[in-house]
Amino acid sequence: MLEASSILEEKNKELVNYLKTHGYIKSPEVEKAFLETPRHLFVPENMLRYAYVNEPLPIGYGQTISQPSVVALMTELLSPKKGEKILEIGTGSGWQAAILARIVGDEGIVYTIERVRELAKFAKKNLEKLGIKSVRIICGDGSEGLKEYAPFDKIIYTAAVPKIPQFILDQLKKYGKIVAPVGKEDVQKMVVIEKIGKNKLKTTEYPGFFVFVPLKGKYGFK
Ligand code: SAM
């Protein structure tokens, strides 16, 4: 009989295969990161059996771990590279941050901000299970960005944002990129903003609509 951990490992491989065949995972770096970052380590115990279903799941405090296909899509859109410095706004249970950390490696760093203290602690524990050291979790209002560690190569919002403020664009390096669900509180578009010159931006929208939990805080939804 297979042990519980090898069953979960198999389920992770099946999920990755699904994400590949449906075009969400495109690059070998993202595939490797998903395989090395099992989602079941980032869900509460009562959600374990659903860890490899392609759905967002509750993680407590009215928040969710994002849907695997959305995490794959956003990671591909962000195109993280070895050695980069990335800011994530909305840590949740830490899965997206862990995937990014796998890709940027020990030479890179992922700063991630979470406003719910208990979730920041849960994410820290989850990252420790995998021995991931290149993530710094900050408990605070991510809607303000993280000026003290700016500029970043990439910025990813994993909560719905009404609009990207200029001061966030200022925290992005030249040739850097932002991926964010932008729009209303109940529905958003996935937006990719690239800084292609000192004050020049290229904005593209991914087709379709998304539903993220809202970004709260000073520059989020009231
Ligand atoms: N990144 C997560 C993952 O890997 O599954 C999913 C994050 S969840 C969809 C969005 C998170 O954003 C929630 O944990 C929520 O508490 C957090 N959040 C909302 N507003 C925030 C703010 N102003 N600053 C920091 N975190 C915020």
Side-chain angles (χ1 to χ4, degrees):
M1 212 172 75
L2 279 175
E3 274 180 51
S5 61
S6 33
I7 293 174
L8 291 167
E9 212 173 290
E10 271 315 301
K11 282 185 171 274
N12 189 26
K13 282 188 195 156
E14 278 171 28
L15 173 69
V16 170
N17 209 28
Y18 169 88
L19 297 173
K20 268 175 72 178
T21 52
H22 286 77
Y24 296 107
I25 290 183
K26 295 184 190 305
S27 60
E29 293 80 12
V30 176
E31 178 179 358
K32 186 166 178 282
F34 266 73
L35 287 172
E36 290 174 349
T37 318
R39 192 179 190 233
H40 70 267
L41 299 178
F42 294 84
V43 301
E45 239 180 86
N46 63 339
M47 286 292 134
L48 258 187
R49 76 176 81 167
Y50 308 111
Y52 293 103
V53 177
N54 187 25
E55 293 286 346
L57 296 173
I59 54 171
Y61 311 94
Q63 305 304 326
T64 54
I65 180 169
S66 298
Q67 186 171 357
S69 53
V70 174
V71 173
L73 170 77
M74 290 179 80
T75 308
E76 290 287 3
L77 290 174
L78 196 69
S79 58
K81 302 276 178 303
K82 215 176 208 20
E84 283 187 341
K85 179 167 66 160
I86 298 184
L87 172 66
E88 181 196 28
I89 300 173
T91 315
S93 61
W95 190 41
Q96 173 76 77
I99 287 169
L100 294 173
R102 295 293 199 197
I103 301 173
V104 302
D106 291 343
E107 311 94 280
I109 184 155
V110 178
Y111 290 94
T112 180
I113 317 179
E114 174 55 55
R115 68 191 281 270
V116 179
R117 185 164 300 279
E118 290 78 3
L119 287 178
K121 278 193 203 152
F122 182 47
K124 185 167 182 279
K125 255 182 34 204
N126 296 337
L127 288 153
E128 279 168 4
K129 291 186 232 168
L130 286 169
I132 292 176
K133 296 205 168 58
S134 45
V135 175
R136 300 275 176 282
I137 303 173
I138 290 132
C139 189
D141 182 4
S143 76
E144 301 190 51
L146 197 58
K147 199 170 168 203
E148 52 274 49
Y149 296 104
F152 300 96
D153 294 291
K154 310 273 164 71
I155 300 176
I156 180 170
Y157 281 77
T158 58
V161 60
K163 70 178 238 204
I164 310 285
Q166 179 60 43
F167 65 80
I168 293 285
L169 297 169
D170 294 340
Q171 294 182 22
L172 187 67
K173 285 186 192 172
K174 191 171 167 188
Y175 306 120
K177 196 193 266 190
I178 297 179
V179 175
V182 181
K184 299 193 181 126
E185 198 163 347
D186 55 351
V187 64
Q188 307 90 38
K189 295 292 289 183
M190 192 59 71
V191 172
V192 179
I193 302 173
E194 289 165 274
K195 209 179 239 189
I196 54 174
K198 193 163 180 281
N199 291 312
K200 216 164 165 221
L201 301 173
K202 180 179 163 214
T203 303
T204 42
E205 270 182 13
Y206 188 82
F209 293 95
F210 294 79
V211 179
F212 274 76
V213 294
L215 183 81
K216 297 286 182 185
K218 195 168 173 188
Y219 300 95
F221 291 95
K222 297 298 160 225

